[in-house]
Amino acid sequence: MAKQKRDAEATKAKILASAITLFSKNGFDATTGDDIAKESGFNKALIYYYFKNKAGLYGSVMSTLFDSIYKEVIDSKKCCDSATAELRAFIETYAGYAQKQPYFPALLLRELSDSGTHLPEMMFESMRRLFVLLSDILRKGEEEGVFKKSIPMVLHFMIVGTLNLLVTTQQLRAKAAKEDTQIDTCSDCPMDEIAEYIFTTIKTALEVK
Amino acid sequence: MAKQKRDAEATKAKILASAITLFSKNGFDATTGDDIAKESGFNKALIYYYFKNKAGLYGSVMSTLFDSIYKEVIDSKKCCDSATAELRAFIETYAGYAQKQPYFPALLLRELSDSGTHLPEMMFESMRRLFVLLSDILRKGEEEGVFKKSIPMVLHFMIVGTLNLLVTTQQLRAKAAKEDTQIDTCSDCPMDEIAEYIFTTIKTALEVK
Amino acid sequence: MAKQKRDAEATKAKILASAITLFSKNGFDATTGDDIAKESGFNKALIYYYFKNKAGLYGSVMSTLFDSIYKEVIDSKKCCDSATAELRAFIETYAGYAQKQPYFPALLLRELSDSGTHLPEMMFESMRRLFVLLSDILRKGEEEGVFKKSIPMVLHFMIVGTLNLLVTTQQLRAKAAKEDTQIDTCSDCPMDEIAEYIFTTIKTALEVK
Amino acid sequence: MAKQKRDAEATKAKILASAITLFSKNGFDATTGDDIAKESGFNKALIYYYFKNKAGLYGSVMSTLFDSIYKEVIDSKKCCDSATAELRAFIETYAGYAQKQPYFPALLLRELSDSGTHLPEMMFESMRRLFVLLSDILRKGEEEGVFKKSIPMVLHFMIVGTLNLLVTTQQLRAKAAKEDTQIDTCSDCPMDEIAEYIFTTIKTALEVK
DNA sequence: CATGAATGAGAGTTCATTCAT
DNA sequence: AATGAATGAACTCTCATTCAT
């Protein structure tokens, strides 16, 4: 019955993938069970068979995404030794992920705006781990004597929040630029340049003169 | 000044105020007409009498809030002469407003996450005006020779985005701190200190050595 | 205070006129108090001040129209002596009225289809009087020895019903003719020719050989 | 043939049947989804599951009825050879149908009064086909030399319109007769006699002397 | 494992009608 | 006489969820 089992896994994965797409694009409220069923090609009742309910499915979506980004960030860290290099890797990796999964930032921001209404404990944990990673980098930098004392939480949002907002507002900014050519909304800036700019800004502010 | 039983202005204001509260707390989708009616103490149909439909009411809510913050920020700017002072005023004023109207950040972030789905043109305009204000300050600083060349859009999000996120995640951060006393989520940081820290960070990064 | 009184009359008349227009065009259900208020230029509450409620206004509308047509038909009858001439006058007058007030037929047919749901007793009476007129003509013809014995009710519908339907379906028939040029829906037939044709048909069928 | 608890076809048919009854009795506007749900014994949401929306259900109702009458009329025609016999069959069949499905006339008249507001194209087509049938009979009669030249559209309404009105006004006419015993509203006339009378009237008018 | 059928609760919106001035 | 403000009830439609097969 190995085949049977594998099919079940595949089905579940298909539903999850469809849910990621739709929740990301339209948010929790604006995504219906019918939408997910249609997108996945399976029956609506099957969602409940595999995921208890809509909130449960949403939780799985978020966990999946957070696990994935956490893994990328922690992997990237391995390759560096100095705190400064690790900081750059952190920012670049997050920026890269946000670009690869451009809907993730919207999901995250929405979730934060809702104070984690739909957010299961486990996902909350994932967010925290990411912050701990940055905190460690900053502390290491202080110990190395290259970073000033900082407020990690604020810097975390200055990095992660800014990246998320830039990705999420991509369309809005393009629209604004088109309507008013006087202002520069950075709508054509490549993501790696933005990441580099954020890194430089933070690094400069942190540097011990 | 006899208290009138039927005062259109007062009624409309009451409905608007209730809507601000509820949309902020729960977002557009999760706020129902019944909720607003109950909160305001008036009949649900009256909402449609004064505000065409739910989206219209939402639009009024957003315009009201945006007009209010824009006015505060532009007022604060008058009192300064140097670009650096203006930058500080900008950040402090925004921070002060976000603290006074703690529901505004959530609303704004949600709206940005939805790429402005519910957002009427006029509100879109308000957002842009705020960004222009910061851009002007940065340009002025460059002309004065005190600021380096920068990417205004990124700095805008580093300021405004970060402040919004800090306000919105206040509860979440408090909760996280309680569960894990090892990490410092800055959950007790006073708003003015945070504003000052952000100002210093940005200023340091901008400074011409 | 004669002026005052006259204004009141004028106001009431204006509302009634607006109601006739709208009820005729859209029927009872699809006409709202707001529509009538807007059309008349007066306040919605005033409708209730003058006409108790929507049904009451509708009743007034119907009575007005029925009185008007009854008066025309009875006037036309005076000028003739033979039953045949009276029959022609009846048909021609009704046809003329239906053309002058092209919305009346729709109203009447709808009312009949609803088995007189909204129809007040008085209007019901008006309909009956019209039928009595035709019955009298037919009886007179029999007494004169020029008409065969007939079923007046059926003939009444063959005349009045047909005229009403032709007027009401004017647009529909024009549309059908445009889509299929093979069939002749009589969409360009002038009303008086139709009246004449109906008269001839009925007369021929009634004639004693 | 075990009775199934969940039989989609049966359910759909039940809803349709209830809709026919209620739309006929009360018209489109005055029939609510709750009414139909209650009458059918199913949940209101199921209506939307099977029929997209209220207008869609209405369309199905009309199509069903029109298809049914068209089938009967065309069947009846097969059995005759002369134009006169076909004309009689047409009238008798339509009369029989109107009696069997006494709600159909009201529905049809209302629809015509509304100029086909709720009427889907397909139903419009059904109406046209019926008229074409009569036109063919009349043309055939002309070619056979037994019928005079006529205006088919007017005759169509003289037949079909009259029959519909007689059926629809059945109750109204009974009521009128009770209140005024002087007038004869033909309220007890059997349908086949009425059909025969209409046939004779039309035939006499058409006959070439 | 998978599905179509069925449901209950509620959302947004409209409207006839009344109240207070 | 006339009006803007306010209401309650209803209506169409949607959706998360469960049932039966």
PDB file of all heavy atoms in Angstrom, chain A residues 70-82 85-90 93 133 137 140:
ATOM      1  N   TYR A  70      13.361  30.309   7.248  1.00  0.00           N
ATOM      2  CA  TYR A  70      14.292  30.132   8.363  1.00  0.00           C
ATOM      3  C   TYR A  70      15.469  29.257   7.936  1.00  0.00           C
ATOM      4  O   TYR A  70      16.620  29.541   8.234  1.00  0.00           O
ATOM      5  CB  TYR A  70      13.567  29.509   9.558  1.00  0.00           C
ATOM      6  CG  TYR A  70      14.450  29.365  10.765  1.00  0.00           C
ATOM      7  CD1 TYR A  70      14.817  30.491  11.508  1.00  0.00           C
ATOM      8  CD2 TYR A  70      14.920  28.112  11.169  1.00  0.00           C
ATOM      9  CE1 TYR A  70      15.641  30.363  12.622  1.00  0.00           C
ATOM     10  CE2 TYR A  70      15.739  27.982  12.272  1.00  0.00           C
ATOM     11  CZ  TYR A  70      16.095  29.112  13.001  1.00  0.00           C
ATOM     12  OH  TYR A  70      16.903  29.010  14.103  1.00  0.00           O
ATOM     13  N   LYS A  71      15.123  28.204   7.210  1.00  0.00           N
ATOM     14  CA  LYS A  71      16.169  27.297   6.748  1.00  0.00           C
ATOM     15  C   LYS A  71      17.169  28.020   5.844  1.00  0.00           C
ATOM     16  O   LYS A  71      18.371  27.884   5.975  1.00  0.00           O
ATOM     17  CB  LYS A  71      15.538  26.108   6.008  1.00  0.00           C
ATOM     18  CG  LYS A  71      16.113  24.767   6.424  1.00  0.00           C
ATOM     19  CD  LYS A  71      15.285  23.616   5.859  1.00  0.00           C
ATOM     20  CE  LYS A  71      14.058  23.301   6.732  1.00  0.00           C
ATOM     21  NZ  LYS A  71      13.149  22.331   6.131  1.00  0.00           N
ATOM     22  N   GLU A  72      16.657  28.815   4.954  1.00  0.00           N
ATOM     23  CA  GLU A  72      17.536  29.547   4.035  1.00  0.00           C
ATOM     24  C   GLU A  72      18.460  30.493   4.793  1.00  0.00           C
ATOM     25  O   GLU A  72      19.659  30.572   4.528  1.00  0.00           O
ATOM     26  CB  GLU A  72      16.713  30.343   3.019  1.00  0.00           C
ATOM     27  CG  GLU A  72      16.034  29.470   1.989  1.00  0.00           C
ATOM     28  CD  GLU A  72      15.771  30.219   0.684  1.00  0.00           C
ATOM     29  OE1 GLU A  72      16.361  31.307   0.472  1.00  0.00           O
ATOM     30  OE2 GLU A  72      14.959  29.723  -0.117  1.00  0.00           O
ATOM     31  N   VAL A  73      17.864  31.204   5.734  1.00  0.00           N
ATOM     32  CA  VAL A  73      18.662  32.191   6.465  1.00  0.00           C
ATOM     33  C   VAL A  73      19.745  31.513   7.284  1.00  0.00           C
ATOM     34  O   VAL A  73      20.904  31.932   7.300  1.00  0.00           O
ATOM     35  CB  VAL A  73      17.766  33.057   7.364  1.00  0.00           C
ATOM     36  CG1 VAL A  73      18.620  33.946   8.260  1.00  0.00           C
ATOM     37  CG2 VAL A  73      16.819  33.901   6.528  1.00  0.00           C
ATOM     38  N   ILE A  74      19.376  30.436   7.970  1.00  0.00           N
ATOM     39  CA  ILE A  74      20.360  29.768   8.820  1.00  0.00           C
ATOM     40  C   ILE A  74      21.450  29.109   7.981  1.00  0.00           C
ATOM     41  O   ILE A  74      22.631  29.058   8.375  1.00  0.00           O
ATOM     42  CB  ILE A  74      19.667  28.751   9.761  1.00  0.00           C
ATOM     43  CG1 ILE A  74      20.391  28.775  11.103  1.00  0.00           C
ATOM     44  CG2 ILE A  74      19.664  27.349   9.190  1.00  0.00           C
ATOM     45  CD1 ILE A  74      19.524  28.246  12.209  1.00  0.00           C
ATOM     46  N   ASP A  75      21.070  28.636   6.789  1.00  0.00           N
ATOM     47  CA  ASP A  75      22.071  28.056   5.894  1.00  0.00           C
ATOM     48  C   ASP A  75      23.084  29.107   5.465  1.00  0.00           C
ATOM     49  O   ASP A  75      24.293  28.874   5.471  1.00  0.00           O
ATOM     50  CB  ASP A  75      21.385  27.508   4.630  1.00  0.00           C
ATOM     51  CG  ASP A  75      21.016  26.051   4.810  1.00  0.00           C
ATOM     52  OD1 ASP A  75      21.155  25.556   5.942  1.00  0.00           O
ATOM     53  OD2 ASP A  75      20.555  25.437   3.831  1.00  0.00           O
ATOM     54  N   SER A  76      22.565  30.251   5.102  1.00  0.00           N
ATOM     55  CA  SER A  76      23.426  31.315   4.583  1.00  0.00           C
ATOM     56  C   SER A  76      24.445  31.764   5.624  1.00  0.00           C
ATOM     57  O   SER A  76      25.541  32.185   5.306  1.00  0.00           O
ATOM     58  CB  SER A  76      22.580  32.512   4.163  1.00  0.00           C
ATOM     59  OG  SER A  76      22.188  33.255   5.301  1.00  0.00           O
ATOM     60  N   LYS A  77      24.042  31.666   6.871  1.00  0.00           N
ATOM     61  CA  LYS A  77      24.902  32.139   7.948  1.00  0.00           C
ATOM     62  C   LYS A  77      26.189  31.309   8.084  1.00  0.00           C
ATOM     63  O   LYS A  77      27.257  31.827   8.403  1.00  0.00           O
ATOM     64  CB  LYS A  77      24.114  32.068   9.256  1.00  0.00           C
ATOM     65  CG  LYS A  77      24.709  32.894  10.380  1.00  0.00           C
ATOM     66  CD  LYS A  77      23.908  32.659  11.656  1.00  0.00           C
ATOM     67  CE  LYS A  77      24.724  33.065  12.877  1.00  0.00           C
ATOM     68  NZ  LYS A  77      24.026  32.699  14.116  1.00  0.00           N
ATOM     69  N   LYS A  78      26.044  30.020   7.791  1.00  0.00           N
ATOM     70  CA  LYS A  78      27.174  29.099   7.968  1.00  0.00           C
ATOM     71  C   LYS A  78      28.443  29.544   7.239  1.00  0.00           C
ATOM     72  O   LYS A  78      29.558  29.355   7.706  1.00  0.00           O
ATOM     73  CB  LYS A  78      26.787  27.700   7.456  1.00  0.00           C
ATOM     74  CG  LYS A  78      25.761  26.999   8.337  1.00  0.00           C
ATOM     75  CD  LYS A  78      25.397  25.645   7.729  1.00  0.00           C
ATOM     76  CE  LYS A  78      24.143  25.089   8.395  1.00  0.00           C
ATOM     77  NZ  LYS A  78      23.460  24.111   7.513  1.00  0.00           N
ATOM     78  N   CYS A  79      28.219  30.135   6.114  1.00  0.00           N
ATOM     79  CA  CYS A  79      29.352  30.399   5.236  1.00  0.00           C
ATOM     80  C   CYS A  79      30.210  31.595   5.660  1.00  0.00           C
ATOM     81  O   CYS A  79      31.152  31.960   4.976  1.00  0.00           O
ATOM     82  CB  CYS A  79      28.869  30.640   3.811  1.00  0.00           C
ATOM     83  SG  CYS A  79      27.493  29.580   3.381  1.00  0.00           S
ATOM     84  N   CYS A  80      29.834  32.278   6.794  1.00  0.00           N
ATOM     85  CA  CYS A  80      30.562  33.492   7.109  1.00  0.00           C
ATOM     86  C   CYS A  80      31.210  33.378   8.495  1.00  0.00           C
ATOM     87  O   CYS A  80      30.855  32.555   9.319  1.00  0.00           O
ATOM     88  CB  CYS A  80      29.634  34.693   7.130  1.00  0.00           C
ATOM     89  SG  CYS A  80      28.310  34.581   5.920  1.00  0.00           S
ATOM     90  N   ASP A  81      32.177  34.257   8.705  1.00  0.00           N
ATOM     91  CA  ASP A  81      32.786  34.241  10.029  1.00  0.00           C
ATOM     92  C   ASP A  81      32.544  35.552  10.783  1.00  0.00           C
ATOM     93  O   ASP A  81      32.127  35.542  11.916  1.00  0.00           O
ATOM     94  CB  ASP A  81      34.281  33.938   9.929  1.00  0.00           C
ATOM     95  CG  ASP A  81      34.922  34.687   8.778  1.00  0.00           C
ATOM     96  OD1 ASP A  81      34.200  35.468   8.100  1.00  0.00           O
ATOM     97  OD2 ASP A  81      36.126  34.502   8.547  1.00  0.00           O
ATOM     98  N   SER A  82      32.750  36.702  10.160  1.00  0.00           N
ATOM     99  CA  SER A  82      32.587  37.971  10.870  1.00  0.00           C
ATOM    100  C   SER A  82      31.122  38.348  11.031  1.00  0.00           C
ATOM    101  O   SER A  82      30.253  37.937  10.250  1.00  0.00           O
ATOM    102  CB  SER A  82      33.296  39.095  10.113  1.00  0.00           C
ATOM    103  OG  SER A  82      32.521  39.460   8.978  1.00  0.00           O
ATOM    104  N   ALA A  85      29.834  40.224   7.979  1.00  0.00           N
ATOM    105  CA  ALA A  85      29.489  39.340   6.862  1.00  0.00           C
ATOM    106  C   ALA A  85      28.173  38.621   7.125  1.00  0.00           C
ATOM    107  O   ALA A  85      27.340  38.435   6.231  1.00  0.00           O
ATOM    108  CB  ALA A  85      30.609  38.329   6.633  1.00  0.00           C
ATOM    109  N   GLU A  86      27.992  38.222   8.354  1.00  0.00           N
ATOM    110  CA  GLU A  86      26.738  37.530   8.693  1.00  0.00           C
ATOM    111  C   GLU A  86      25.540  38.467   8.529  1.00  0.00           C
ATOM    112  O   GLU A  86      24.473  38.067   8.077  1.00  0.00           O
ATOM    113  CB  GLU A  86      26.790  37.013  10.130  1.00  0.00           C
ATOM    114  CG  GLU A  86      27.622  35.745  10.274  1.00  0.00           C
ATOM    115  CD  GLU A  86      27.524  35.146  11.679  1.00  0.00           C
ATOM    116  OE1 GLU A  86      26.725  35.677  12.488  1.00  0.00           O
ATOM    117  OE2 GLU A  86      28.235  34.173  11.948  1.00  0.00           O
ATOM    118  N   LEU A  87      25.728  39.711   8.910  1.00  0.00           N
ATOM    119  CA  LEU A  87      24.636  40.683   8.763  1.00  0.00           C
ATOM    120  C   LEU A  87      24.267  40.840   7.294  1.00  0.00           C
ATOM    121  O   LEU A  87      23.094  40.803   6.924  1.00  0.00           O
ATOM    122  CB  LEU A  87      25.067  42.041   9.344  1.00  0.00           C
ATOM    123  CG  LEU A  87      24.028  43.158   9.236  1.00  0.00           C
ATOM    124  CD1 LEU A  87      22.774  42.818  10.031  1.00  0.00           C
ATOM    125  CD2 LEU A  87      24.611  44.488   9.742  1.00  0.00           C
ATOM    126  N   ARG A  88      25.317  40.984   6.491  1.00  0.00           N
ATOM    127  CA  ARG A  88      25.044  41.108   5.054  1.00  0.00           C
ATOM    128  C   ARG A  88      24.335  39.868   4.532  1.00  0.00           C
ATOM    129  O   ARG A  88      23.351  39.962   3.792  1.00  0.00           O
ATOM    130  CB  ARG A  88      26.358  41.306   4.310  1.00  0.00           C
ATOM    131  CG  ARG A  88      26.183  41.182   2.800  1.00  0.00           C
ATOM    132  CD  ARG A  88      27.491  41.370   2.043  1.00  0.00           C
ATOM    133  NE  ARG A  88      27.597  42.691   1.480  1.00  0.00           N
ATOM    134  CZ  ARG A  88      28.668  43.466   1.561  1.00  0.00           C
ATOM    135  NH1 ARG A  88      29.724  43.039   2.216  1.00  0.00           N
ATOM    136  NH2 ARG A  88      28.669  44.657   0.991  1.00  0.00           N
ATOM    137  N   ALA A  89      24.786  38.706   4.929  1.00  0.00           N
ATOM    138  CA  ALA A  89      24.156  37.461   4.477  1.00  0.00           C
ATOM    139  C   ALA A  89      22.693  37.411   4.913  1.00  0.00           C
ATOM    140  O   ALA A  89      21.798  37.037   4.145  1.00  0.00           O
ATOM    141  CB  ALA A  89      24.911  36.255   5.030  1.00  0.00           C
ATOM    142  N   PHE A  90      22.438  37.818   6.132  1.00  0.00           N
ATOM    143  CA  PHE A  90      21.061  37.816   6.659  1.00  0.00           C
ATOM    144  C   PHE A  90      20.155  38.666   5.765  1.00  0.00           C
ATOM    145  O   PHE A  90      19.104  38.222   5.313  1.00  0.00           O
ATOM    146  CB  PHE A  90      21.075  38.370   8.088  1.00  0.00           C
ATOM    147  CG  PHE A  90      19.722  38.413   8.750  1.00  0.00           C
ATOM    148  CD1 PHE A  90      19.283  37.342   9.520  1.00  0.00           C
ATOM    149  CD2 PHE A  90      18.894  39.517   8.612  1.00  0.00           C
ATOM    150  CE1 PHE A  90      18.040  37.374  10.149  1.00  0.00           C
ATOM    151  CE2 PHE A  90      17.648  39.557   9.236  1.00  0.00           C
ATOM    152  CZ  PHE A  90      17.222  38.481   9.996  1.00  0.00           C
ATOM    153  N   THR A  93      19.889  37.270   2.119  1.00  0.00           N
ATOM    154  CA  THR A  93      19.084  36.053   2.029  1.00  0.00           C
ATOM    155  C   THR A  93      17.599  36.356   2.180  1.00  0.00           C
ATOM    156  O   THR A  93      16.766  35.858   1.425  1.00  0.00           O
ATOM    157  CB  THR A  93      19.514  35.052   3.118  1.00  0.00           C
ATOM    158  OG1 THR A  93      20.923  34.890   3.060  1.00  0.00           O
ATOM    159  CG2 THR A  93      18.817  33.718   2.903  1.00  0.00           C
ATOM    160  N   LEU A 133      18.076  35.056  15.536  1.00  0.00           N
ATOM    161  CA  LEU A 133      19.229  34.977  14.638  1.00  0.00           C
ATOM    162  C   LEU A 133      19.902  36.336  14.484  1.00  0.00           C
ATOM    163  O   LEU A 133      21.117  36.466  14.608  1.00  0.00           O
ATOM    164  CB  LEU A 133      18.793  34.489  13.259  1.00  0.00           C
ATOM    165  CG  LEU A 133      18.784  32.990  12.998  1.00  0.00           C
ATOM    166  CD1 LEU A 133      18.515  32.722  11.526  1.00  0.00           C
ATOM    167  CD2 LEU A 133      20.123  32.381  13.402  1.00  0.00           C
ATOM    168  N   ILE A 137      23.622  37.882  15.792  1.00  0.00           N
ATOM    169  CA  ILE A 137      24.604  38.547  14.938  1.00  0.00           C
ATOM    170  C   ILE A 137      25.032  39.877  15.564  1.00  0.00           C
ATOM    171  O   ILE A 137      26.208  40.206  15.633  1.00  0.00           O
ATOM    172  CB  ILE A 137      24.028  38.783  13.528  1.00  0.00           C
ATOM    173  CG1 ILE A 137      23.754  37.437  12.844  1.00  0.00           C
ATOM    174  CG2 ILE A 137      24.978  39.633  12.691  1.00  0.00           C
ATOM    175  CD1 ILE A 137      23.046  37.562  11.505  1.00  0.00           C
ATOM    176  N   LYS A 140      27.174  39.332  18.656  1.00  0.00           N
ATOM    177  CA  LYS A 140      28.506  38.905  18.223  1.00  0.00           C
ATOM    178  C   LYS A 140      29.328  40.114  17.757  1.00  0.00           C
ATOM    179  O   LYS A 140      30.507  40.261  18.103  1.00  0.00           O
ATOM    180  CB  LYS A 140      28.353  37.893  17.086  1.00  0.00           C
ATOM    181  CG  LYS A 140      29.651  37.252  16.650  1.00  0.00           C
ATOM    182  CD  LYS A 140      29.368  36.165  15.602  1.00  0.00           C
ATOM    183  CE  LYS A 140      30.650  35.651  14.971  1.00  0.00           C
ATOM    184  NZ  LYS A 140      30.340  34.728  13.845  1.00  0.00           N
TER     185      LYS A 140
END
